[in-house]
Amino acid sequence: MLLFGNDDRCYILRKKGENCKPKNIIPTVKHGGGSIVLKRPSEGNYEKEKDVCIQLFDQWSEADQVEFVEHLISRMCHYQHGHINSYLKPMLQRDFITALPAQGLDHIAENILSFLDARSLCSAELVCKEWQRVISEGMLWKKLIERMVRTDPLWKGLSEREKYLFKNRTTEVPPNSYYRSLYPKIIQDIETIEANWRCGRHNLQRIQCRSENSKGVYCLQYDDDKIISGLRDNSIKIWDKQSLECLKILTGHTGSVLCLQYDERVIVTGSSDSTVRVWDVNTGEVLNTLIHHNEAVLHLRFCNGLMVTCSKDRSIAVWDMASPTDISLRRVLVGHRAAVNVVDFDDKYIVSASGDRTIKVWSTSTCEFVRTLNGHKRGIACLQYRDRLVVSGSSDNTIRLWDIECGACLRVLEGHEELVRCIRFDNKRIVSGAYDGKIKVWDLQAALDPRAPASTLCLRTLVEHSGRVFRLQFDEFQIISSSHDDTILIWDFLNVSTNGQTEGRSPSRTYTYISR
């Protein structure tokens, strides 16, 4: 027999060839120079003594029972601990997803699983039939798609377009399996759209503005239904987004329409005639004319009852807009030493850029000057500001990214060959247009990473305009741009087939959705 031990406890194992199962381990206790074998009592005595112990154990309080078991465990060997652990482990585990429906709490199980992403939801379906039932009857794939539509701009945009309108066209709601198979198809289409952006695959539509005298489209804004453009010939033209037909022409300015913005109620325009006009977006009626600036109104922005305009006269005007007919001047900001070409603002800052090569930051609430951003070598023609980021374009042919809080220049983008006239950005991309007639798409996230090589930042250069690019706007699926060549171009990255040809208006894949 073999004897081994540790501290004050040792064990005797049978020799090789004998039965060595753990139950035959015989505990011994060291005593002086020898060992005393603690023999196990006979089976009959064990059963009687066990029953007595259990009866006594059942009479104790829970606290006493726990203390007693802890004392017993402390006297056991490592093997016994492992055996007890194996016994307790499944007892301590709880399949709450299966247990909750058994208690009539299906909705709680569904709510817990509804927070899973697609990969985790796939794994959850494989756990057991009960989990699969909860996911299926809870329509959790449908809810996942709804959540993506609410939280992701790309999914939201897809849901609002005819091709991707997951709208339920029948009274019968599709089963969960339908939405489970729909999800990867949507992911595949999203990946295709992203690839179209990277590779420059697009469908191009062209609006010929046919200006009577001076040709050129200085500004534009669009939504799903219409495009509103401001022209060099003093007019404002409203176009049907689908048919591309001109719906209405607004006249009244005596100079070129250089800037505009509209919402669901009004169109506000600025002109080289030094005035700002407010129009009814539905009727085209002039509601108000603001006469303040001494020279051309070069840019304007309005939001939440506040409007900011800037001018060739080097000033910035801040207006309170109580209503379209009740607009009053709050403050004039002076500090630039040349024409103020562009303004943008939010609740915290007003940001302006000028031909004097500087960007100035002002407090929105107090209209007090905050700081100047210096870096461009020549005048600044355009900028956009959101959160902490300012992106500006200049006649030094570069684009700069700035941290508005500290004034630091984060990156300089080079690639345009002439003045950068217009710029926009979202969470993924910067899109710029220049007097070289080119539109460039840049990787915003890479541009914000100081380790990214400069050669990787420009994703694609689009060349279709035959004149200077004056203005552009874009979303997840398209760019709409205007130019000195008197055209408006719609660059569609959604409705593109694999061979580069446009898909029809009735695609083979149809999505059905979720009522909102």
Side-chain angles (χ1 to χ4, degrees):
M1 301 182 72
L2 301 175
L3 179 66
F4 68 95
N6 184 27
D7 298 330
D8 63 342
R9 183 169 296 182
C10 59
Y11 303 95
I12 299 175
L13 295 179
R14 298 182 186 275
K15 292 181 180 179
K16 185 176 181 181
E18 295 180 352
N19 190 345
C20 295
K21 291 183 180 179
K23 68 180 182 180
N24 292 316
I25 296 176
I26 302 174
T28 69
V29 176
K30 291 181 180 179
H31 182 72
S35 299
I36 302 174
V37 177
L38 302 180
K39 295 183 179 179
R40 180 173 176 169
S42 65
E43 293 295 329
N45 291 337
Y46 166 71
E47 290 296 334
K48 291 178 183 178
E49 292 170 356
K50 182 183 74 171
D51 291 340
V52 172
C53 287
I54 290 174
Q55 289 175 9
L56 293 172
F57 185 84
D58 289 342
Q59 295 173 13
W60 299 339
S61 66
E62 287 187 4
D64 291 340
Q65 289 174 343
V66 169
E67 182 183 357
F68 178 72
V69 170
E70 287 176 349
H71 185 66
L72 283 180
I73 291 173
S74 69
R75 299 174 64 86
M76 292 180 181
C77 68
H78 184 266
Y79 163 75
Q80 291 170 313
H81 288 158
H83 186 79
I84 291 172
N85 181 63
S86 299
Y87 180 75
L88 287 176
K89 202 169 185 179
M91 295 178 66
L92 295 175
Q93 292 174 340
R94 289 290 182 270
D95 181 358
F96 52 89
I97 297 300
T98 299
L100 286 169
Q103 302 296 321
L105 301 173
D106 299 64
H107 62 287
I108 296 179
E110 292 170 7
N111 190 47
I112 292 169
L113 294 180
S114 70
F115 288 94
L116 298 180
D117 59 21
R119 185 183 297 274
S120 301
L121 201 56
C122 285
S123 299
E125 288 179 318
L126 301 176
V127 171
C128 64
K129 289 183 178 180
E130 182 61 18
W131 282 47
Q132 188 179 42
R133 183 195 68 80
V134 171
I135 291 169
S136 177
E137 293 184 5
M139 299 292 284
L140 296 192
W141 283 101
K142 173 176 178 286
K143 291 177 180 177
L144 175 60
I145 292 175
E146 289 177 323
R147 187 170 83 236
M148 295 302 294
V149 169
R150 287 195 305 271
T151 59
D152 188 284
L154 183 51
W155 284 73
K156 184 175 185 295
L158 289 174
S159 73
E160 292 171 348
R161 280 159 172 76
E162 182 178 356
K163 178 179 176 182
Y164 293 88
L165 187 60
F166 318 123
K167 198 166 188 176
N168 190 20
R169 295 189 175 92
T170 63
T171 55
E172 184 178 352
V173 178
N176 185 68
S177 59
Y178 168 80
Y179 295 101
R180 192 191 190 287
S181 62
L182 174 61
Y183 188 94
K185 293 177 183 176
I186 299 172
I187 293 296
Q188 182 181 357
D189 288 332
I190 287 173
E191 290 173 351
T192 300
I193 293 168
E194 295 296 327
N196 289 342
W197 276 95
R198 288 193 305 271
C199 301
R201 287 192 298 266
H202 63 274
N203 168 49
L204 189 69
Q205 293 178 288
R206 188 184 305 268
I207 298 175
Q208 296 286 354
C209 292
R210 295 186 173 85
S211 301
E212 294 184 4
N213 301 313
S214 304
K215 295 186 181 299
V217 186
Y218 280 129
C219 53
L220 64 83
Q221 185 183 336
Y222 71 86
D223 56 40
D224 289 339
D225 302 316
K226 61 185 176 295
I227 302 171
I228 300 183
S229 58
L231 280 72
R232 190 180 179 191
D233 68 4
N234 308 349
S235 69
I236 300 149
K237 290 187 177 180
I238 303 176
W239 310 85
D240 185 282
K241 180 74 161 41
Q242 304 305 318
S243 68
L244 307 185
E245 294 178 355
C246 184
L247 302 175
K248 196 174 297 183
I249 301 177
L250 310 183
T251 58
H253 278 297
T254 57
S256 300
V257 181
L258 303 177
C259 53
L260 67 81
Q261 184 185 341
Y262 70 85
D263 61 13
E264 67 280 356
R265 295 189 305 162
V266 296
I267 308 168
V268 182
T269 57
S271 168
S272 59
D273 65 12
S274 306
T275 68
V276 174
R277 287 179 181 253
V278 182
W279 317 71
D280 186 295
V281 73
N282 297 309
T283 66
E285 175 190 1
V286 178
L287 303 176
N288 204 341
T289 301
L290 306 178
I291 303 173
H292 164 75
H293 288 291
N294 298 322
E295 296 190 63
V297 180
L298 301 179
H299 201 252
L300 63 85
R301 301 297 296 166
F302 71 87
C303 183
N304 297 329
L306 184 70
M307 180 168 68
V308 181
T309 61
C310 63
S311 170
K312 191 177 177 181
D313 65 13
R314 308 181 184 183
S315 73
I316 301 159
V318 182
W319 309 79
D320 289 309
M321 299 180 69
S323 72
T325 56
D326 184 8
I327 302 174
S328 58
L329 184 64
R330 178 195 295 186
R331 186 82 173 265
V332 177
L333 309 182
V334 179
H336 282 293
R337 293 177 287 106
V340 185
N341 294 317
V342 58
V343 289
D344 204 353
F345 73 92
D346 63 8
D347 292 338
K348 188 172 186 180
Y349 294 126
I350 298 170
V351 186
S352 59
S354 166
D356 64 9
R357 310 179 185 182
T358 68
I359 297 170
K360 290 190 180 293
V361 182
W362 318 75
S363 167
T364 302
S365 57
T366 66
C367 293
E368 295 299 320
F369 172 75
V370 177
R371 67 178 55 89
T372 298
L373 310 183
N374 290 298
H376 279 295
K377 302 297 188 294
R378 300 183 67 181
I380 302 165
C382 56
L383 68 72
Q384 183 185 348
Y385 157 55
R386 192 179 69 190
D387 300 327
R388 289 183 64 128
L389 184 63
V390 175
V391 180
S392 59
S394 166
S395 57
D396 63 13
N397 304 350
T398 69
I399 297 163
R400 286 180 179 254
L401 283 64
W402 311 80
D403 184 326
I404 196 170
E405 295 294 349
C406 65
C409 180
L410 306 174
R411 172 76 79 162
V412 180
L413 304 180
E414 297 178 307
H416 281 295
E417 298 164 5
E418 294 187 45
L419 179 150
V420 182
R421 180 65 173 80
C422 50
I423 200 153
R424 305 296 296 171
F425 70 88
D426 63 8
N427 293 328
K428 299 176 185 176
R429 306 177 185 92
I430 301 169
V431 182
S432 59
Y435 277 7
D436 57 14
K438 297 174 183 177
I439 293 172
K440 287 184 177 288
V441 181
W442 311 79
D443 186 331
L444 174 60
Q445 296 307 317
L448 291 172
D449 182 356
R451 299 167 297 178
S455 59
T456 65
L457 303 182
C458 183
L459 301 175
R460 188 58 50 179
T461 300
L462 307 174
V463 185
E464 286 290 344
H465 281 296
S466 60
R468 297 172 170 178
V469 181
F470 284 141
R471 194 60 53 92
L472 62 80
Q473 180 185 340
F474 78 98
D475 56 43
E476 298 283 354
F477 312 103
Q478 63 195 331
I479 301 170
I480 299 185
S481 59
S482 65
S483 169
H484 190 268
D485 63 15
D486 211 38
T487 66
I488 297 171
L489 298 186
I490 303 172
W491 315 71
D492 187 350
F493 297 93
L494 172 61
N495 299 302
V496 181
S497 62
T498 53
N499 61 3
Q501 299 299 314
T502 310
E503 292 180 359
R505 287 287 177 183
S506 301
S508 56
R509 180 176 296 159
T510 305
Y511 292 124
T512 349
Y513 185 55
I514 36 207
S515 47
R516 290 187 177 87

